Amino acid sequence: MLWRTLEFYGIPPQENIPREIYRPGVGSGSPRRISLADYFQLLVQVAERVEDPAVGLRSAEMLHPSHLGALGHAFMASTTLREAIERGARYNRMLAENVRMEVAEEAGNLKVSYITDDSSRLTDPQADAQLASLLSLCRLNFGSRLKPLAVRMRRSPPEDPTPWTEVFGVPVEFAAEENCLVLARQDVDEELTVSNPALAALHEDVVRRHMACLL
């Protein structure tokens, strides 16, 4: 995501992302992963370099399911968004140890929250990237018409909230007590045309084996 984000801003990514962390095509198929701490630190550096308050949102636009490995492909092959999101929450530790993805009901709808303790609280670009990335994946499954019922973010309000409204499709509640999306029940339970249960199960098996290696 960050490689493509830097290219979007016209900045040479090979001059900003250390070779030992990532190069396209190097280590493909390896179980090695980039730590979330390294990724988030690089995102902060990119944010400082481009001086765009909405850089976290822009980075989410660069997300491809394969960036999340087998979990991204299992997400995409899920039968419904509810199934995809619950699968993501179940295996979120594969991507991040210090960020918990929590799924709950809110007034009959589905609320997806990202929980951190205060010592590892996300920076503004990080929080933007996390929620916008989830919505981007959901729209790949459901369609671009998907709009959350509500978006709440702990981050400080930006001077111009327009990019956030444009990305999420609804006004964002800033300075909230949590980072979350609320999705309509009828949307998360609609059967998806992209579903492939056999493929989802295949990729989930890869994820389980990968998780076993992390224990």
Side-chain angles (χ1 to χ4, degrees):
M1 285 173 63
L2 287 177
W3 191 277
R4 296 172 70 181
T5 301
L6 285 164
E7 289 180 332
F8 172 81
Y9 287 105
I11 299 172
Q14 62 272 17
E15 296 178 9
N16 292 268
I17 298 178
R19 177 174 292 277
E20 63 271 18
I21 291 182
Y22 177 72
R23 281 295 180 272
V26 177
S28 296
S30 167
R32 179 184 176 275
R33 62 177 183 166
I34 300 169
S35 74
L36 190 69
D38 284 343
Y39 170 78
F40 275 163
Q41 182 57 39
L42 286 169
L43 179 58
V44 170
Q45 293 173 10
V46 171
E48 293 171 349
R49 181 77 184 270
V50 302
E51 298 182 349
D52 179 0
V55 63
L57 302 179
R58 301 296 167 238
S59 72
E61 294 173 355
M62 309 299 162
L63 176 64
H64 188 278
S66 65
H67 293 155
L68 306 181
L71 181 56
H73 293 295
F75 191 103
M76 293 305 299
S78 299
T79 301
T80 64
L81 283 184
R82 183 187 297 273
E83 179 185 300
I85 290 167
E86 289 178 346
R87 179 172 278 128
R90 189 159 60 247
Y91 298 114
N92 189 63
R93 196 173 68 82
M94 173 182 165
L95 306 174
E97 291 88 354
N98 63 336
V99 180
R100 189 173 80 256
M101 185 176 175
E102 189 173 279
V103 181
E105 295 290 320
E106 180 176 286
N109 301 302
L110 193 74
K111 182 175 77 168
V112 190
S113 306
Y114 287 100
I115 313 296
T116 61
D117 58 35
D118 286 337
S119 64
S120 57
R121 181 169 174 169
L122 304 179
T123 66
D124 291 350
Q126 292 164 358
D128 292 342
Q130 197 133 52
L131 285 182
S133 293
L134 174 61
L135 185 58
S136 177
L137 284 176
C138 289
R139 283 174 172 162
L140 282 174
N141 274 23
F142 186 89
S144 59
R145 71 185 188 283
L146 178 69
K147 288 185 180 181
L149 296 176
V151 180
R152 305 185 195 111
M153 304 186 75
R154 297 177 69 187
R155 62 154 291 155
S156 54
E159 290 186 11
D160 179 10
T162 303
W164 284 260
T165 303
E166 290 175 345
V167 167
F168 291 106
V170 295
V172 175
E173 179 186 341
F174 297 105
E177 295 184 354
E178 57 186 342
N179 293 318
C180 74
L181 296 176
V182 181
L183 299 169
R185 178 179 55 191
Q186 63 268 27
D187 291 339
V188 297
D189 289 333
E190 180 178 318
E191 291 201 10
L192 302 170
T193 58
V194 297
S195 69
N196 188 322
L199 193 58
L202 179 66
H203 285 295
E204 186 164 337
D205 183 58
V206 174
V207 173
R208 282 195 296 267
R209 285 188 275 117
H210 185 88
M211 291 283 288
C213 295
L214 298 178
L215 296 178

